[in-house]
Amino acid sequence: RHAKARPEVAFVAIKLTGLGNLHALAAAQEGLLTVPDERELNNMALRLDEICRLAHDTDQAILIDAEESWLQGIIDNLAED
């Protein structure tokens, strides 16, 4: 909402590590999720979904930061979902 009210803001950038912890992303990338990691990853996905819904509802573009190359697979999966 904040960005939408300001025409000088072309998009909102998101770092998935800001929505949860790096350990859960790394564990998911490596296929070594524990139950707590899976819970954390699901919470991250819910947070991202909420941001994407709000961006859609307000016609605001978002950019999802690729973070580290070794996390690209899981970040792509979360972004595409």
Side-chain angles (χ1 to χ4, degrees):
R1 290 180 210 128
H2 178 80
K4 185 60 179 172
R6 289 164 179 73
E8 67 274 12
V9 177
F11 58 87
V12 174
I14 301 166
K15 290 184 74 76
L16 290 183
T17 53
L19 301 179
N21 72 47
L22 177 62
H23 178 68
L25 286 170
Q29 179 67 34
E30 296 169 8
L32 302 172
L33 280 174
T34 63
V35 171
D37 290 335
E38 189 170 353
R39 212 174 6 251
E40 178 67 20
L41 195 64
N42 287 337
N43 286 335
M44 291 172 73
L46 290 172
R47 292 177 191 122
L48 180 59
D49 188 58
E50 184 176 339
I51 291 168
C52 290
R53 285 180 197 277
L54 182 58
H56 178 268
D57 292 348
T58 58
D59 197 32
Q60 181 66 49
I62 61 171
L63 179 143
I64 299 174
D65 190 313
E67 305 263 354
E68 303 289 338
S69 61
W70 55 274
L71 292 173
Q72 195 61 58
I74 188 59
I75 289 175
D76 284 351
N77 290 345
L78 288 166
E80 291 169 0
D81 284 349

